[in-house]
Amino acid sequence: MSSQLLAGKRGVIFGALDNQSIAWQVAEVCAEQGAKFTLTNAPVALRFGSLDELGEKLGAEVIPADATSIEDLEALFTKSEEILGGKLDFVLHAIGMSLNVRKGKEYTDLKHEWMLKTFDISAISFHKMCQVLYKGDHMADWGSILGLTYIAAQRTFPDYSEMAESKALLESFARSFGYHFGEKNHVRVNTISQSPTMTTAGKGVKGFDEFFGYADTMSPLGNAPGRACGEYCASLFSDFTRYVTMQNLYHDGGFSQMGMNPKLVK
């Protein structure tokens, strides 16, 4: 039975593509917990994903928006308020893309114009999103903004390429906007550092299958699945976490605190 943890909450969820997406799992959990929200992704992603299917299933309107476009973001949040009937209580940013990774470029031989595109899509879009929310006064008092990140922002994972720098930038934006939103109307801004997860994007990283197994063995609790991440996000959208802000929160089965697991050398 659902606890209706998010009853009466309104939100926007960025980045769901298919049923392997973490954002998809977040949307399903939030709906089960009583939230109402809109779903969004870039128009090009909507053409090869199945977001309309999720929207129909959950009764959530899908609004195409390029997260790197201020104009698209302004239209998205204005329309979402109209559809949902008020200001937003929560927003999830689950966006990341690297052409260098997709094309198999080595870190020491990256195309820098592609790197700048990576930063714009994967990190600067978070700042743009927060800026539009802030200037447009779209967030309700004591609301919650989350961005999905990865431990490569703090540790070296060579095959993660310049996405590591993107995540570090994303986390810095969250801390900085956490101050400004907190002072304005008690909105908290956090990032969640999730375990390796079998998403469409994750599986595109070189050596992902091997690393997924390594992380699962290293972590005392094993890798946190996407559904569990959805539940964690719901808790951070709820009123029970009103005083958690400007944090990078590890949701990784303990991986981030391990030095060595004896199981790996047996």
Side-chain angles (χ1 to χ4, degrees):
M1 180 180 293
S2 172
S3 63
Q4 294 293 289
L5 188 67
L6 301 179
K9 300 289 188 187
R10 309 178 183 96
V12 177
I13 295 175
F14 283 77
L17 180 66
D18 54 37
N19 60 10
Q20 296 182 62
S21 303
I22 293 174
W24 186 293
Q25 304 292 325
V26 175
E28 290 190 327
V29 173
C30 288
E32 291 168 11
Q33 295 299 322
K36 301 296 183 184
F37 48 84
T38 59
L39 298 163
T40 185
N41 211 327
V44 65
L46 294 180
R47 289 200 292 271
F48 61 83
S50 48
L51 190 57
D52 286 336
E53 174 188 321
L54 179 65
E56 184 174 347
K57 174 184 175 183
L58 302 181
E61 186 156 343
V62 175
I63 305 174
D66 178 353
T68 69
S69 165
I70 294 291
E71 293 76 17
D72 277 17
L73 290 169
E74 289 173 339
L76 166 67
F77 293 131
T78 298
K79 186 172 182 180
S80 293
E81 282 193 72
E82 292 171 356
I83 292 168
L84 300 171
K87 292 185 179 183
L88 305 173
D89 299 292
F90 65 90
V91 178
L92 175 72
H93 180 283
I95 303 170
M97 192 282 291
S98 167
L99 279 174
N100 281 303
V101 171
R102 285 188 179 181
K103 301 292 187 179
K105 297 289 287 182
E106 295 294 332
Y107 187 79
T108 53
D109 186 35
L110 298 182
K111 290 188 67 170
H112 292 104
E113 59 267 37
W114 289 357
M115 178 188 283
L116 293 174
K117 190 67 174 176
T118 298
F119 292 167
D120 194 25
I121 294 171
S122 306
I124 297 172
S125 65
F126 186 83
H127 190 286
K128 291 177 178 177
M129 182 191 82
C130 287
Q131 182 170 298
V132 171
L133 288 167
Y134 187 92
K135 293 175 69 175
D137 197 29
H138 295 293
M139 293 298 298
D141 292 357
W142 297 99
S144 178
I145 299 170
L146 287 178
L148 295 186
T149 185
Y150 185 55
I151 195 176
Q154 291 80 33
R155 314 278 178 85
T156 301
F157 295 87
D159 292 329
Y160 203 59
S161 196
E162 88 272 31
M163 280 299 297
E165 285 80 8
S166 292
K167 294 303 187 182
L169 184 57
L170 173 77
E171 291 173 20
S172 182
F173 286 149
R175 288 189 295 271
S176 297
F177 253 115
Y179 162 77
H180 291 287
F181 265 116
E183 290 287 339
K184 181 180 182 181
N185 63 335
H186 302 106
V187 171
R188 65 261 198 204
V189 187
N190 296 289
T191 53
I192 293 178
S193 187
Q194 166 69 2
S195 293
T197 309
M198 287 289 184
T199 63
T200 300
K203 288 186 290 188
V205 177
K206 180 182 174 184
F208 181 81
D209 287 346
E210 293 78 7
F211 180 67
F212 181 91
Y214 166 79
D216 197 45
T217 303
M218 176 70 85
S219 309
L221 299 180
N223 289 333
R227 168 75 186 192
C229 187
E231 292 165 349
Y232 192 41
C233 289
S235 75
L236 288 163
F237 293 150
S238 79
D239 291 338
F240 289 126
T241 53
R242 281 188 165 193
Y243 290 91
V244 180
T245 194
M246 302 165 69
Q247 303 297 312
N248 180 46
L249 302 162
Y250 290 99
H251 186 255
D252 62 1
F255 178 88
S256 54
Q257 298 303 312
M258 292 296 293
M260 171 55 71
N261 192 319
K263 288 186 290 185
L264 286 168
V265 295
K266 285 181 179 179

